[in-house]
Amino acid sequence: MSNPVRAVDEGAYGLSEEQAEAVRAQLDRILDHSLFSDTTRMKRFLTYVVDEALAGRGARLKGYTIGLEVFDKSSDFDPQNDTIVRVQASQLRRRLDLYYASDGEVDTIRITIPKGRYAPRFEVRTEALDNASVQAAGPDSTANG
């Protein structure tokens, strides 16, 4: 039996252009969702980490860099004393979980930010494809006549 989820993690992205475009399209779906409508910084955070990962720089995503690039902190920013990146990452994880528990339930690509990291993880969920196919075909599509 094959694994229904294929994960692509930081440092090993190696995505084809088609796969990267699918991740970008998924990112757009997430950002357009009502859960993210009032969260400019959270949108910026998610966009930044996904873009960096797709550019092959996911393993270099650190609290300091995110503080500078996403939250406009000055160069003396200390992520150990200023917890904005950790707090926002936690909130981002929660919103992503809510998204995938609702409207994103059947999305074929899942973008997550594993706890303790900032580099995103991309999962291709083949079971979502299978469920969507079954729903589209309807419950009687396999019956003989």
Side-chain angles (χ1 to χ4, degrees), residues 7 18 42 50 57 60 67 75 79 85 89 122 141:
E18 182 179 323
M42 203 168 294
V50 169
R57 296 183 294 267
R60 293 188 283 187
S75 60
V85 176
F122 308 130
S141 65

Side-chain angles (χ1 to χ4, degrees), residues 20-60:
E21 285 303 316
V23 168
R24 285 185 189 94
Q26 179 63 29
L27 174 63
D28 289 343
R29 273 193 296 283
I30 293 168
L31 297 177
D32 287 341
H33 193 270
S34 62
L35 283 167
F36 291 85
S37 64
D38 63 342
T39 60
T40 303
R41 282 191 164 174
M42 203 168 294
K43 285 179 175 181
R44 202 168 151 193
F45 190 167
L46 184 58
T47 300
Y48 177 74
V49 297
V50 169
D51 286 347
E52 288 296 292
L54 292 176
R57 296 183 294 267
R60 293 188 283 187

Side-chain angles (χ1 to χ4, degrees), residues 8 10 18 32 54 61 77-78 92 100 107 121 124 140:
V8 181
E10 66 275 5
E18 182 179 323
D32 287 341
L54 292 176
L61 286 167
F77 170 65
D78 180 359
L92 177 56
Y100 284 110
D107 289 0
R121 179 181 174 123
V124 179
D140 297 326

Side-chain angles (χ1 to χ4, degrees), residues 59-134:
R60 293 188 283 187
L61 286 167
K62 305 291 181 212
Y64 177 78
T65 308
I66 294 168
L68 296 178
E69 298 296 327
V70 175
F71 299 105
D72 301 321
K73 296 292 183 177
S74 64
S75 60
D76 64 349
F77 170 65
D78 180 359
Q80 297 304 315
N81 292 324
D82 184 339
T83 62
I84 189 167
V85 176
R86 288 191 307 261
V87 169
Q88 290 294 310
S90 179
Q91 291 176 1
L92 177 56
R93 289 181 190 104
R94 272 196 297 278
R95 287 196 192 217
L96 286 170
D97 287 345
L98 287 171
Y99 171 78
Y100 284 110
S102 62
D103 293 344
E105 187 175 36
V106 296
D107 289 0
T108 57
I109 294 178
R110 185 177 178 108
I111 300 172
T112 61
I113 311 292
K115 192 171 181 179
R117 301 177 182 184
Y118 300 117
R121 179 181 174 123
F122 308 130
E123 298 172 358
V124 179
R125 299 170 21 170
T126 56
E127 78 278 4
L129 279 175
D130 294 342
N131 290 339
S133 298
V134 169

